[in-house]
């Protein structure tokens, strides 16, 4: 059977980029479908339909679904974990290690969109905290502790990368800060050279 499938796709499934991309797309599809199903349980059919169609028709998800660099399934994993925790709110602490691992693995594979990913892990609990007059204490604890665990996952990834980049963790972090963080977030060597306000205003100019 495997040989027939290999012949059909003209691929060697023992090890290939194709099979890795296929696995990632299947995993991403599973995670997105689970998100929609959990939203249906929490918010009803209307929100389920909105999210399902948004995921299904989004050109960005289609574009990045098989991109191994972005490790796309982990872009949405914290959101799924938050929905699972909301349905088991009285035992939400069971899901805290999952928050930690999701952000750690994503950060180790790349820091792109990391702030948005971490926010997606608390957005539904925040909405529930605003809408729900009951269980506010548990919801606040979920938001607080999940944020702490995600932050720890991010910090551990920085420490591990720092150890790789330099002779020690301090020198490695200094290299990351100067060569990556400042270079990508601060307007150095631009026409506004160091003028943060000027750089921000450029986004509002026509």
């Amino acid at each position: 059977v495997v040989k027939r499938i290999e012949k059909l796709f003209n691929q060697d499934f023992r090890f290939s980029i194709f099979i890795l991309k296929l696995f990632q797309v299947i995993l991403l599809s599973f995670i997105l479908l689970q998100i929609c199903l959990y939203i249906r349980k929490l918010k009803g059919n209307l929100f389920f339909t909105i999210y399902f169609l948004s995921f299904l028709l989004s050109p960005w998800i289609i574009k990045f679904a098989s991109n191994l660099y972005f490790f796309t399934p982990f872009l949405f994993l914290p959101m799924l974990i938050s929905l699972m925790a909301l349905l088991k709110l009285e035992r939400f602490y069971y899901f805290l290690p999952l928050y930690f691992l999701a952000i750690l693995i994503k950060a180790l594979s790349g820091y792109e969109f990391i702030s948005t990913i971490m926010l997606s892990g608390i957005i539904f609990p925040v909405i529930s905290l605003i809408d729900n007059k009951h269980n506010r204490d548990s919801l606040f604890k979920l938001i607080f502790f999940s944020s702490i665990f995600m932050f720890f996952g991010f910090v551990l990834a920085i420490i591990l990368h720092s150890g790789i980049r330099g002779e020690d963790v301090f020198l490695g972090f200094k290299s990351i800060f100067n060569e990556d963080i400042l270079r990508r977030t601060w307007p150095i060597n631009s026409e506004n050279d160091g003028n943060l306000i000027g750089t921000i205003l450029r986004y509002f100019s026509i």
Side-chain angles (χ1 to χ4, degrees):
V1 175
V2 175
K3 289 183 178 180
R4 291 182 179 179
I5 296 175
E6 287 178 341
K7 186 177 180 181
L8 177 64
F9 289 98
N10 193 27
Q11 295 287 338
D12 183 359
F13 281 7
R14 284 172 291 183
F15 181 81
S16 69
I17 297 299
F18 171 80
I19 197 63
L20 291 176
K21 289 184 175 182
L22 180 63
F23 172 76
Q24 177 167 291
V25 169
I26 293 173
L27 181 59
L28 174 63
S29 301
F30 175 78
I31 289 175
L32 294 180
L33 180 60
Q34 289 300 309
I35 288 174
C36 292
L37 292 176
Y38 277 108
I39 288 175
R40 185 179 185 179
K41 291 180 181 179
L42 288 167
K43 299 295 182 180
N45 290 327
L46 177 60
F47 281 91
F48 165 80
T49 303
I50 293 172
Y51 272 84
F52 183 81
L53 292 178
S54 297
F55 289 147
L56 184 65
L57 301 177
S58 170
W60 292 106
I61 291 179
I62 295 172
K63 183 177 179 65
F64 291 107
S66 62
N67 191 311
L68 296 176
Y69 174 79
F70 289 108
F71 205 13
T72 320
F74 278 78
L75 299 180
F76 298 93
L77 193 55
M79 182 185 293
L80 175 59
I81 295 170
S82 72
L83 291 167
M84 294 166 62
L86 280 174
L87 285 175
K88 301 287 184 181
L89 190 57
E90 68 281 359
R91 295 191 295 272
F92 73 87
Y93 42 85
Y94 289 155
F95 299 92
L96 296 178
L98 297 180
Y99 278 104
F100 173 82
L101 289 173
I103 294 300
L104 173 62
I105 295 173
K106 174 61 191 79
L108 287 175
S109 65
Y111 296 99
E112 288 80 8
F113 318 118
I114 194 68
S115 57
T116 303
I117 295 168
M118 294 173 73
L119 286 173
S120 74
I122 63 171
I123 186 63
F124 281 105
V126 168
I127 293 173
S128 296
L129 181 64
I130 295 172
D131 292 341
N132 195 346
K133 296 182 179 180
H134 307 287
N135 300 321
R136 287 198 166 184
D137 184 57
S138 296
L139 287 167
F140 180 80
K141 288 180 180 178
L142 171 59
I143 295 167
F144 178 77
F145 286 110
S146 62
S147 300
I148 294 297
F149 272 74
M150 287 190 288
F151 177 74
F152 284 160
F154 172 76
V155 170
L156 180 56
I158 288 285
I159 292 173
L160 293 173
H161 281 149
S162 298
I164 296 172
R165 285 284 293 269
E167 296 180 2
D168 55 40
V169 173
F170 175 77
L171 291 177
F173 178 75
K174 185 177 180 180
S175 172
I176 291 173
F177 183 79
N178 290 326
E179 298 178 18
D180 294 313
I181 296 176
L182 286 183
R183 180 170 59 86
R184 298 182 182 185
T185 60
W186 198 257
I188 297 175
N189 297 324
S190 70
E191 62 184 48
N192 294 312
D193 196 17
N195 186 346
L196 180 61
I197 302 300
T199 300
I200 293 175
L201 291 176
R202 290 181 63 189
Y203 288 92
F204 297 94
S205 62
I206 299 176

